[in-house]
Amino acid sequence: VQLQASGGGLVQAGGSLRLSCAASGRTFSSYTMAWFRQAPGKEREFVTAIRYSGGSTAYAESVKGRFTVSRDTAKNTVYLQMNSLKPEDTAVYYCAARRGGIQYKDYEYEYLGQGTQVTVSS
C-alpha cells in the first residue's frame, strides 16, 4: 500500500498550488483521506480531511477559506488546492488514510505517505 504525494514546489506569497495524493495497492474509496504538514522545527499538524463519502470535510483554522480538499474515488486520488499561500504555509505536506471518520492526529491514520515540499516565498 502506497500513498504518493506530488505537486509541491516553490511559489510566491499569494500564489496557488495543487497537491495530489495517489493511492495504490488497495481501494481507498471507503477511507477517510487527510493532509498533514510539518514545518522545520515543528510537530506535524492537521491541515484537512475528507470522508470516504466525499460529503464531509474538516479544515484547520489556519487554512479555512484558502485550501480546498477533494477526491476522485475512480482515480483513487485526493487533491489539495491551496490558494492565497502565505510564507507560514511552508512545510512538507503529507497525505494519510484511515478507515472510519475524520481524526486530527497523524497517529490515528493507518497509512501515511511520503511528503512533498511546499515553499512559499515572501
Side-chain angles (χ1 to χ4, degrees), residues 70-115:
S70 62
R71 67 190 299 164
D72 184 334
T73 54
K75 294 183 178 179
N76 237 12
T77 300
V78 64
Y79 303 98
L80 179 61
Q81 178 66 43
M82 304 186 294
N83 299 328
S84 302
L85 282 161
K86 305 175 181 180
E88 50 264 43
D89 294 318
T90 295
V92 178
Y93 284 71
Y94 301 87
C95 59
R98 72 182 306 274
R99 284 168 288 191
I102 294 172
Q103 294 291 335
Y104 298 89
K105 297 294 185 182
D106 56 355
Y107 56 75
E108 297 282 0
Y109 287 76
E110 298 157 53
Y111 304 101
L112 184 69
Q114 97 298 343

Side-chain angles (χ1 to χ4, degrees), residues 43-86:
E43 293 187 353
R44 190 175 292 143
E45 65 175 2
F46 174 84
V47 177
T48 182
I50 184 167
R51 286 203 65 172
Y52 62 89
S53 66
S56 179
T57 58
Y59 294 91
E61 285 295 325
S62 59
V63 306
K64 276 184 180 178
R66 300 188 298 121
F67 290 11
T68 303
V69 64
S70 62
R71 67 190 299 164
D72 184 334
T73 54
K75 294 183 178 179
N76 237 12
T77 300
V78 64
Y79 303 98
L80 179 61
Q81 178 66 43
M82 304 186 294
N83 299 328
S84 302
L85 282 161
K86 305 175 181 180

